[in-house]
Amino acid sequence: MGIAPIIRERRVLKGKGKTPTSPRPGPTRKRRSAKPPHPSRVRRRRGRRLAVFLTLLFLFGVGYSLVNLVEEGRAASVGSSTPATEPSKDKTRKVSSSSSTCDALDVLVDRSHALPSDYTPTDLVPLRDYKVATLGSEALRREAAEHLGRLVQAAAADAEELVVASAYRSYHEQRLSHERLRSVFGAGADRMSARQGHSQHQLGTAVDFTNAAAGYQLGVPFARTSAYWWLEHHAWEYGFVLAYPRGKQDQSGYHWEPWHYRYVGVADAKRIEDSGQSLQEFLEKAGTTPHC
Ligand SMILES: [Zn+2]
C-alpha cells in the first residue's frame, strides 16, 4: 500500500515544464492504467476471476453441507444412544435450587428472596417451655427452641446471661415493626430492618439476644459483652449462626447485627463455621429458595 503514493509523487516531480507545486491536470492514476490493456486480456482476466469465485462458492457450499451433516450426525447419535445430555445439564444446577416448603432450615430469605404473606410455621412453641428467658412471649419452631434451650443453659453454666428480645414475627408484625422504623429513620430503615416477607424472623428460626450488660436493648453494645463472645465461639455447636456479620453489609444488605442469630441445624452451622463463609454466602450456594 505504501508504494503507490511514492510512485505517484515521483511522476509528479518528473513532469516536464512543471514545478513541484504546479497542479497536474486530470486524475492521478496508476501507471498500468495509463495504457489500456487489450480487450482479450481483460476478458481472460475476468474469466479467471469468475472461475476463482465459482470455485470458492462451490467449496464453501460443500463445506457448509459437510459441517451440517457432521452436526446432524452428532445430534442423531446423541439422541439415539446417549440420553445423558439432560443429566449433565442437571449437574451444573444447584443440587437443591428450590424448596417445596419454606420449613427447610436452609431456605434463603434476604432482600431478594421473600416469604409469602401467609407463610406461618406450624410447629411454633413458646420459648419459656424450654427455660429460655425472654422479654415478651416469644416463640420459635420446636427444633430451634430445643437447641436454643441447650445453648442458653450451656451459656449460663459459663456464667453468661442470654435473654431473647425477639424471636418469631409474623408477616404482619414485621410490617408494623418496619413501618415504625421507617417513620423514624426514613429510607435508612431498610438497612436496619427487613421489609415484611424478607425477615428471617418469619421463619421461626431467628432470635435476637440481649442481656443485662447490654441494658436489655438490641444494639451494638451487646457486642461488647462477654456473652457475645461466648456466642461467637459456641453458637454453631447448637446450630445457630450470626446472620449479619461485621463487614458483610454489601453481601447481606444489612448493617452488622451482633444480636441476630439464625438456627440452621448443627450440621450446616458446622459447615459454615469450618468454611469461614457467611450465612448469606453459604445459603446462596447451598441453600434453597422459598417456593411455598
Ligand atoms: Zn433479628
Side-chain angles (χ1 to χ4, degrees):
M1 169 179 162
I3 295 169
I6 294 167
I7 291 170
R8 281 202 295 275
E9 181 71 8
R10 279 182 184 162
R11 286 178 61 204
V12 169
L13 289 171
K14 276 180 181 174
K16 288 179 185 173
K18 303 280 192 300
T19 62
T21 54
S22 63
R24 181 184 173 85
T28 305
R29 298 177 69 85
K30 289 181 182 174
R31 182 182 294 254
R32 67 175 174 228
S33 64
K35 185 183 175 184
H38 192 274
S40 64
R41 286 184 63 192
V42 171
R43 276 199 299 276
R44 275 203 301 278
R45 199 179 297 152
R46 280 183 185 157
R48 277 201 301 275
R49 281 181 188 160
L50 188 63
V52 169
F53 174 72
L54 287 173
T55 306
L56 285 173
L57 193 66
F58 174 77
L59 286 174
F60 177 77
V62 171
Y64 184 75
S65 302
L66 281 173
V67 168
N68 274 352
L69 280 173
V70 170
E71 289 296 318
E72 281 164 16
R74 238 186 242 161
S77 68
V78 167
S80 60
S81 62
T82 54
T85 46
E86 282 305 304
S88 73
K89 265 187 202 167
D90 285 343
K91 279 179 195 167
T92 63
R93 286 207 304 256
K94 281 201 298 182
V95 176
S96 51
S97 60
S98 67
S99 172
S100 57
T101 168
C102 288
D103 291 340
L105 290 176
D106 61 354
V107 71
L108 176 64
V109 176
D110 60 6
R111 293 172 79 87
S112 318
H113 300 85
L115 293 164
S117 60
D118 59 355
Y119 172 72
T120 307
T122 54
D123 55 350
L124 291 169
V125 292
L127 288 180
R128 284 190 173 154
D129 288 0
Y130 294 85
K131 298 188 173 64
V132 176
T134 59
L135 295 185
S137 51
E138 303 297 335
L140 277 187
R141 290 184 60 200
R142 187 180 309 279
E143 182 183 328
E146 286 168 1
H147 283 77
L148 182 62
R150 278 181 235 144
L151 179 151
V152 168
Q153 284 166 33
D158 287 342
E160 301 296 351
E161 182 197 26
L162 286 170
V163 175
V164 170
S166 183
Y168 169 72
R169 283 201 292 270
S170 71
Y171 182 94
H172 298 291
E173 285 168 337
Q174 185 67 29
R175 186 176 65 193
L176 290 174
S177 160
H178 189 76
E179 281 172 359
R180 270 198 299 274
L181 274 176
R182 271 187 82 88
S183 68
V184 177
F185 298 101
D190 287 349
R191 294 240 164 219
M192 304 158 71
S193 155
R195 286 172 177 272
Q196 59 273 19
H198 295 267
S199 172
Q200 295 179 349
H201 285 280
Q202 194 185 335
L203 289 168
T205 51
V207 284
D208 293 334
F209 289 112
T210 187
N211 57 18
Y216 295 110
Q217 301 289 315
L218 288 185
V220 171
F222 178 68
R224 292 195 281 271
T225 70
S226 54
Y228 169 77
W229 290 105
W230 188 94
L231 283 172
E232 279 265 284
H233 291 98
H234 299 288
W236 69 269
E237 296 166 18
Y238 302 89
F240 284 85
V241 176
L242 183 71
Y244 307 122
R246 193 176 203 166
K248 300 282 185 178
Q249 184 179 325
D250 290 343
Q251 220 175 58
S252 68
Y254 296 105
H255 291 302
W256 178 38
E257 292 192 2
W259 60 88
H260 178 106
Y261 277 75
R262 175 174 162 183
Y263 178 77
V264 291
V266 176
D268 276 353
K270 181 167 172 30
R271 280 188 201 108
I272 292 166
E273 174 74 13
D274 290 346
S275 66
Q277 290 179 304
S278 67
L279 176 63
Q280 182 74 18
E281 285 174 311
F282 178 80
L283 293 180
E284 282 178 4
K285 286 177 193 156
T288 55
T289 51
H291 288 286
C292 45

